[in-house]
Coordinates of all heavy atoms in Angstrom, one line a residue:
E1 N -29.1 -36.8 -22.8 CA -27.7 -37.0 -23.3 C -27.1 -35.5 -23.2 O -27.6 -34.6 -23.9 CB -27.7 -37.4 -24.7 CG -26.5 -37.7 -25.3 CD -26.0 -39.1 -25.4 OE1 -26.8 -40.0 -25.1 OE2 -24.8 -39.3 -25.7
L2 N -26.1 -35.4 -22.3 CA -25.6 -34.0 -22.1 C -24.0 -34.1 -22.1 O -23.4 -35.2 -21.8 CB -25.9 -33.6 -20.7 CG -27.4 -33.3 -20.4 CD1 -27.6 -33.0 -19.0 CD2 -28.0 -32.2 -21.3
P3 N -23.3 -33.0 -22.4 CA -21.9 -32.9 -22.2 C -21.5 -33.2 -20.8 O -22.2 -32.8 -19.9 CB -21.4 -31.6 -22.7 CG -22.7 -31.0 -23.4 CD -23.8 -31.7 -22.9
L4 N -20.4 -33.8 -20.6 CA -19.9 -34.2 -19.3 C -19.6 -33.0 -18.5 O -19.8 -32.9 -17.3 CB -18.7 -35.1 -19.4 CG -18.2 -35.8 -18.2 CD1 -19.3 -36.7 -17.6 CD2 -17.0 -36.7 -18.5
W5 N -19.1 -32.0 -19.1 CA -18.7 -30.7 -18.3 C -20.0 -30.0 -17.8 O -20.0 -29.5 -16.7 CB -17.9 -29.7 -19.1 CG -18.7 -29.2 -20.3 CD1 -18.8 -29.6 -21.6 CD2 -19.4 -27.9 -20.3 NE1 -19.5 -28.8 -22.4 CE2 -19.9 -27.8 -21.5 CE3 -19.8 -27.0 -19.3 CZ2 -20.9 -26.7 -21.8 CZ3 -20.6 -26.0 -19.6 CH2 -21.2 -25.8 -21.0
L6 N -21.1 -30.2 -18.6 CA -22.4 -29.6 -18.2 C -22.9 -30.4 -16.9 O -23.4 -29.7 -15.9 CB -23.5 -29.6 -19.3 CG -24.6 -28.9 -19.0 CD1 -24.5 -27.4 -18.7 CD2 -25.6 -29.0 -20.1
L7 N -22.7 -31.7 -16.9 CA -23.1 -32.5 -15.7 C -22.2 -32.1 -14.5 O -22.8 -32.0 -13.4 CB -22.9 -33.9 -16.0 CG -24.0 -34.5 -16.8 CD1 -23.7 -36.0 -17.1 CD2 -25.4 -34.4 -16.3
F8 N -20.9 -31.8 -14.6 CA -20.1 -31.4 -13.5 C -20.6 -30.1 -13.0 O -20.7 -29.9 -11.8 CB -18.6 -31.3 -14.0 CG -18.0 -32.7 -14.2 CD1 -16.9 -32.7 -15.1 CD2 -18.3 -33.7 -13.5 CE1 -16.2 -33.9 -15.3 CE2 -17.6 -34.9 -13.7 CZ -16.6 -35.1 -14.6
V9 N -20.7 -29.1 -13.8 CA -21.2 -27.8 -13.5 C -22.6 -27.9 -12.7 O -22.8 -27.2 -11.7 CB -21.3 -26.8 -14.7 CG1 -21.9 -25.6 -14.2 CG2 -19.9 -26.5 -15.1
G10 N -23.5 -28.7 -13.3 CA -24.8 -28.8 -12.7 C -24.7 -29.4 -11.3 O -25.4 -29.0 -10.4
F11 N -23.9 -30.5 -11.2 CA -23.7 -31.0 -9.8 C -23.0 -30.2 -8.9 O -23.2 -30.1 -7.7 CB -23.1 -32.5 -9.9 CG -23.9 -33.5 -10.4 CD1 -23.5 -34.3 -11.6 CD2 -25.2 -33.7 -9.9 CE1 -24.4 -35.3 -12.1 CE2 -26.0 -34.8 -10.3 CZ -25.6 -35.5 -11.4
L12 N -22.1 -29.4 -9.4 CA -21.4 -28.4 -8.6 C -22.4 -27.4 -8.1 O -22.3 -27.0 -6.8 CB -20.3 -27.7 -9.5 CG -19.5 -26.6 -8.6 CD1 -18.7 -27.1 -7.5 CD2 -18.6 -25.8 -9.7
L13 N -23.3 -26.9 -9.0 CA -24.3 -25.9 -8.5 C -25.3 -26.5 -7.5 O -25.6 -25.8 -6.5 CB -25.1 -25.4 -9.7 CG -24.3 -24.5 -10.7 CD1 -25.1 -24.1 -11.9 CD2 -23.8 -23.2 -9.9
I14 N -25.7 -27.8 -7.7 CA -26.5 -28.4 -6.7 C -25.8 -28.6 -5.4 O -26.4 -28.4 -4.3 CB -26.9 -29.8 -7.3 CG1 -28.0 -29.6 -8.4 CG2 -27.6 -30.6 -6.1 CD1 -28.3 -30.9 -9.1
G15 N -24.5 -28.9 -5.4 CA -23.8 -29.1 -4.1 C -23.7 -27.7 -3.4 O -23.7 -27.5 -2.1
M16 N -23.5 -26.6 -4.2 CA -23.4 -25.2 -3.7 C -24.7 -24.9 -3.1 O -24.8 -24.2 -2.0 CB -22.9 -24.2 -4.7 CG -21.5 -24.4 -5.1 SD -21.0 -23.3 -6.6 CE -21.4 -21.8 -5.9
L17 N -25.8 -25.2 -3.7 CA -27.2 -24.9 -3.2 C -27.4 -25.6 -1.8 O -27.8 -25.0 -0.8 CB -28.2 -25.3 -4.2 CG -29.7 -25.1 -3.8 CD1 -29.9 -23.6 -3.6 CD2 -30.6 -25.8 -4.7
I18 N -27.0 -26.9 -1.8 CA -27.1 -27.7 -0.6 C -26.3 -27.0 0.6 O -26.7 -26.9 1.8 CB -26.8 -29.2 -0.8 CG1 -27.8 -29.9 -1.6 CG2 -26.6 -29.9 0.6 CD1 -27.4 -31.2 -2.1
A19 N -25.0 -26.6 0.2 CA -24.2 -26.1 1.3 C -24.8 -24.7 1.7 O -24.7 -24.4 2.9 CB -22.8 -25.8 0.7
A20 N -25.2 -24.0 0.8 CA -25.9 -22.7 1.3 C -27.2 -22.9 2.1 O -27.4 -22.2 3.1 CB -26.3 -21.9 -0.1
L21 N -27.9 -24.0 1.9 CA -29.0 -24.3 2.7 C -28.6 -24.7 4.2 O -29.2 -24.2 5.2 CB -29.9 -25.4 2.2 CG -30.7 -25.0 0.9 CD1 -31.4 -26.3 0.3 CD2 -31.7 -23.9 1.2
F22 N -27.6 -25.5 4.2 CA -27.1 -25.8 5.6 C -26.5 -24.6 6.3 O -26.7 -24.5 7.4 CB -25.8 -26.8 5.5 CG -26.4 -28.2 5.2 CD1 -25.8 -29.1 4.2 CD2 -27.3 -28.8 6.2 CE1 -26.4 -30.3 4.1 CE2 -27.7 -30.1 6.0 CZ -27.3 -30.8 5.0
A23 N -25.8 -23.7 5.6 CA -25.3 -22.5 6.2 C -26.4 -21.6 6.6 O -26.3 -21.0 7.7 CB -24.4 -21.8 5.2
M24 N -27.5 -21.5 5.9 CA -28.5 -20.7 6.3 C -29.3 -21.3 7.5 O -29.6 -20.5 8.5 CB -29.5 -20.6 5.2 CG -29.1 -19.6 4.0 SD -30.1 -19.3 2.7 CE -31.8 -19.8 3.1
S25 N -29.4 -22.5 7.6 CA -30.1 -23.1 8.8 C -29.1 -22.9 10.1 O -29.6 -22.6 11.1 CB -30.3 -24.6 8.6 OG -29.1 -25.3 8.5
K26 N -27.8 -23.1 9.8 CA -26.9 -22.8 11.0 C -26.9 -21.3 11.4 O -26.9 -21.1 12.5 CB -25.5 -23.3 10.6 CG -24.5 -23.2 11.7 CD -23.2 -24.0 11.4 CE -22.3 -23.7 12.6 NZ -22.3 -24.7 13.6
G27 N -27.0 -20.5 10.4 CA -27.1 -19.0 10.7 C -28.4 -18.7 11.5 O -28.4 -17.9 12.4
A28 N -29.5 -19.3 11.1 CA -30.7 -19.1 11.8 C -30.6 -19.5 13.2 O -31.1 -18.9 14.1 CB -31.9 -19.8 11.0
R29 N -29.9 -20.8 13.5 CA -29.7 -21.2 14.8 C -28.9 -20.3 15.6 O -29.2 -19.9 16.7 CB -29.2 -22.6 14.8 CG -30.1 -23.7 14.7 CD -29.5 -25.1 14.7 NE -28.7 -25.1 13.5 CZ -28.1 -26.2 13.0 NH1 -28.1 -27.2 13.8 NH2 -27.4 -26.2 11.9
N30 N -27.9 -19.8 15.0 CA -27.0 -18.8 15.7 C -27.7 -17.5 16.0 O -27.5 -17.0 17.1 CB -25.7 -18.5 14.8 CG -24.8 -19.7 14.7 OD1 -24.8 -20.7 15.5 ND2 -23.9 -19.7 13.8
R31 N -28.5 -17.0 15.1 CA -29.3 -15.8 15.4 C -30.3 -16.1 16.6 O -30.4 -15.2 17.4 CB -30.0 -15.3 14.2 CG -29.2 -14.7 13.1 CD -30.1 -14.0 11.9 NE -30.7 -15.0 11.2 CZ -30.2 -15.7 10.1 NH1 -29.0 -15.5 9.8 NH2 -30.9 -16.6 9.5
Q32 N -30.9 -17.2 16.6 CA -31.8 -17.6 17.7 C -30.9 -17.6 19.0 O -31.5 -17.1 20.1 CB -32.5 -18.9 17.5 CG -33.5 -19.3 18.5 CD -34.6 -18.3 18.5 OE1 -35.0 -17.7 17.6 NE2 -35.2 -18.0 19.7
V33 N -29.9 -18.2 19.0 CA -29.0 -18.2 20.1 C -28.6 -16.8 20.6 O -28.7 -16.5 21.8 CB -27.7 -19.1 19.9 CG1 -26.7 -19.0 21.0 CG2 -28.1 -20.6 19.8
I34 N -28.2 -15.9 19.7 CA -27.9 -14.7 20.0 C -29.0 -13.9 20.6 O -28.9 -13.2 21.6 CB -27.3 -13.9 18.7 CG1 -25.9 -14.5 18.4 CG2 -27.3 -12.4 19.0 CD1 -25.4 -13.9 17.0
K35 N -30.2 -14.1 20.0 CA -31.4 -13.4 20.5 C -31.7 -13.9 21.9 O -32.0 -13.1 22.8 CB -32.7 -13.8 19.6 CG -33.9 -13.1 20.0 CD -35.1 -13.6 19.1 CE -36.4 -13.0 19.5 NZ -37.5 -13.5 18.7
N36 N -31.6 -15.3 22.2 CA -31.8 -15.8 23.6 C -30.8 -15.1 24.6 O -31.1 -14.7 25.7 CB -31.7 -17.2 23.6 CG -32.9 -17.9 22.9 OD1 -33.9 -17.3 22.6 ND2 -32.8 -19.1 22.5
K37 N -29.5 -15.0 24.1 CA -28.5 -14.4 25.0 C -28.8 -13.0 25.3 O -28.5 -12.5 26.5 CB -27.0 -14.7 24.5 CG -26.6 -16.2 24.3 CD -26.5 -16.7 25.7 CE -26.0 -18.2 25.6 NZ -26.0 -18.8 26.8
N38 N -29.2 -12.3 24.3 CA -29.6 -10.8 24.5 C -30.7 -10.7 25.5 O -30.6 -9.8 26.3 CB -29.9 -10.1 23.2 CG -28.7 -9.9 22.3 OD1 -27.5 -9.8 22.8 ND2 -28.8 -9.8 21.0
E39 N -31.7 -11.6 25.4 CA -32.8 -11.5 26.4 C -32.3 -11.9 27.8 O -32.7 -11.3 28.7 CB -33.9 -12.5 25.9 CG -34.7 -12.1 24.8 CD -35.7 -13.1 24.3 OE1 -35.9 -14.1 25.0 OE2 -36.3 -12.9 23.2
E40 N -31.4 -12.9 27.9 CA -30.9 -13.2 29.2 C -30.0 -12.0 29.7 O -30.2 -11.7 30.9 CB -30.0 -14.4 29.1 CG -30.6 -15.7 28.9 CD -29.6 -16.9 28.8 OE1 -28.5 -16.8 29.1 OE2 -30.1 -18.0 28.2

């Protein structure tokens, strides 16, 4: 049993965490592509 605003903030933080994970994975792919291009 939690206040509704706390649930909103919690889900907002979970959403931000998921977005950060996606951004990090895309950044890792971009770094790999840059590394490959530098080797080429």
Side-chain angles (χ1 to χ4, degrees):
E1 183 101 8
L2 298 170
L4 194 55
W5 68 269
L6 190 58
L7 288 174
F8 285 154
V9 170
F11 286 126
L12 178 67
L13 291 175
I14 290 171
M16 289 172 58
L17 179 65
I18 292 170
L21 290 174
F22 279 127
M24 285 177 20
S25 70
K26 185 166 174 93
R29 279 183 287 188
N30 288 341
R31 281 189 295 276
Q32 185 64 35
V33 167
I34 289 171
K35 183 180 175 183
N36 291 342
K37 293 296 180 183
N38 284 337
E39 288 177 6
E40 287 178 18

